[in-house]
Amino acid sequence: AWAGLEINTLSILPLIAKSHHPRAIEAATKYFMTQATASALVLFSSMTNAWHTGQWDITQMTHTTSCLILTSAIAMKLGMVPFHFWFPEVLQGSPIITGLILSTIMKLPPIALLYMTSHSLNPTLLTLMAIMSAALGGWMGLNQTQIRKILAFSSISHLGWMAIIIPFSPKLTMLNFYLYVLMTSAIFLTMNTVKVLKLSTLMTSWTKAPALNTMLLLTLLSLAGLPPLTGFLPKWLIIQELTKQNMAPTAIIISLLSLLGLFFYLRLAYCATITLPPHTTNHMKQWHTYKPTSTLIAISIVMSIMLLPISPMIPT
């Protein structure tokens, strides 16, 4: 597991630093430092467990201290509160496609570790970190104007939803992760197509691809978790499971905290579709000469919007 995490970290570093911009180099350095620390903590927790119990198997961790260290290490890998400071900075310093990889594929190994060790992790610590992630992810994203930073804070608040349910239903965490990857990929690919990095340029992007912008509105609302879109599905199932576990107050708190996220998704959606930039002259609109949208974006956007009806097929 440790070797896999190390290979994973080292393989993304050239992609972050390839533009040779000072901010990209800074992002790569920050990413390397945090991931190396987290990997060292993973190794340290397994060594502590082996020292006390003689067991190296990651799925049979019984020593309390090593479980706590492992939880912290995975949280640092993922960018959960209170180890979240590196993630918005790294995402802001990376190109959009590298940002997409960082937000989706690079989260898979730590989530897989979390899934494998879910029964031995400390539920109180996880719940506390999850609520803090949902709160800070929503709260700190409110005043951002850079789209990559907004998506980074959105990722932190989604991690809160994933972490809160892992001790009770690891399958739901994986479902939430897959749907999050799907919706985030759709948004990053759309941003890459219309070449948008901040809110002020998002306002003028409707001339480039009006149909894509309209679908972006729905995908953002889906990421916010509004019914009847796909993003509502994991939130609904998680709230249901938390209520079954007699954690209704926790479910209420995390649901209310997701309203913070809804605000900045609505802001993005408003800038993308409803605002018109001043001084629109009568020039030829760009969509006549614009290249067609790729099939991948089309499929991911449709799936990001229309998967709610499959909910009866999901075994809970």
Side-chain angles (χ1 to χ4, degrees):
W2 173 78
L5 289 172
E6 283 295 298
I7 294 166
N8 194 27
T9 301
L10 293 172
S11 59
I12 192 79
L13 286 173
L15 287 175
I16 301 174
K18 70 177 179 184
S19 67
H20 302 298
H21 189 275
R23 182 165 278 177
I25 306 297
E26 182 190 342
T29 312
K30 282 178 179 171
Y31 185 76
F32 175 71
M33 301 287 268
T34 46
Q35 299 298 312
T37 311
S39 297
L41 282 175
V42 168
L43 204 55
F44 181 56
S45 72
S46 57
M47 280 166 61
T48 315
N49 192 60
W51 185 23
H52 283 275
T53 62
Q55 178 61 263
W56 279 99
D57 191 346
I58 204 162
T59 55
Q60 295 177 21
M61 293 186 72
T62 47
H63 190 246
T64 323
T65 314
S66 55
C67 288
L68 283 172
I69 296 170
L70 184 69
T71 312
S72 309
I74 294 175
M76 197 183 287
K77 278 264 170 206
L78 287 169
M80 278 171 66
V81 176
F83 309 107
H84 65 288
F85 296 103
W86 63 272
F87 190 55
E89 299 297 325
V90 169
L91 215 59
Q92 182 57 33
S94 314
I96 282 196
I97 295 299
T98 310
L100 167 64
I101 294 170
L102 278 170
S103 301
T104 55
I105 302 165
M106 300 301 285
K107 294 273 169 80
L108 186 58
I111 287 272
L113 272 182
L114 204 58
Y115 182 81
M116 284 161 59
T117 57
S118 56
H119 52 85
S120 59
L121 299 176
N122 187 334
T124 318
L125 180 66
L126 275 173
T127 307
L128 194 64
M129 279 163 61
I131 288 178
M132 289 197 318
S133 296
L136 273 168
W139 184 45
M140 293 175 75
L142 292 179
N143 61 349
Q144 299 295 334
T145 55
Q146 298 287 337
I147 290 172
R148 283 170 295 183
K149 275 198 175 172
I150 291 178
L151 289 170
F153 287 117
S154 133
S155 176
I156 292 167
S157 60
H158 273 270
L159 282 171
W161 282 87
M162 290 176 217
I164 203 160
I165 202 66
I166 193 101
F168 312 110
S169 175
K171 282 182 184 170
L172 274 186
T173 297
M174 295 314 285
L175 172 75
N176 194 347
F177 177 68
Y178 295 143
L179 292 179
Y180 163 74
V181 165
L182 179 70
M183 294 181 287
T184 306
S185 304
I187 289 174
F188 267 106
L189 290 169
T190 305
M191 297 300 176
N192 187 50
T193 305
V194 293
K195 297 288 178 280
V196 164
L197 293 175
K198 33 182 206 297
L199 287 179
S200 54
T201 48
L202 186 62
M203 289 181 188
T204 58
S205 68
W206 66 275
T207 56
K208 294 181 182 175
L212 195 57
N213 260 32
T214 313
M215 297 310 274
L216 177 65
L217 164 77
L218 290 170
T219 315
L220 283 163
L221 294 180
S222 179
L223 196 59
L226 285 186
L229 304 166
T230 306
F232 179 60
L233 174 59
K235 285 188 166 59
W236 175 27
L237 293 175
I238 286 171
I239 291 170
Q240 189 180 337
E241 184 63 34
L242 284 174
T243 317
K244 279 183 195 166
Q245 301 288 344
N246 294 325
M247 291 177 71
T250 315
I252 291 167
I253 291 167
I254 201 163
S255 309
L256 288 174
L257 289 172
S258 70
L259 290 175
L260 289 168
L262 176 62
F263 176 82
F264 59 75
Y265 292 126
L266 278 174
R267 214 169 130 214
L268 273 172
Y270 180 78
C271 287
T273 50
I274 302 168
T275 51
L276 283 179
H279 314 303
T280 45
T281 51
N282 293 327
H283 63 287
M284 189 184 78
K285 294 288 180 262
Q286 290 186 22
W287 63 70
H288 295 307
T289 54
Y290 204 69
K291 62 180 188 300
T293 308
S294 76
T295 319
L296 181 63
I297 301 180
I299 293 169
S300 58
I301 284 182
V302 169
M303 286 176 72
S304 303
I305 295 168
M306 296 185 175
L307 283 189
L308 189 64
I310 66 157
S311 50
M313 296 161 60
I314 296 164
T316 47

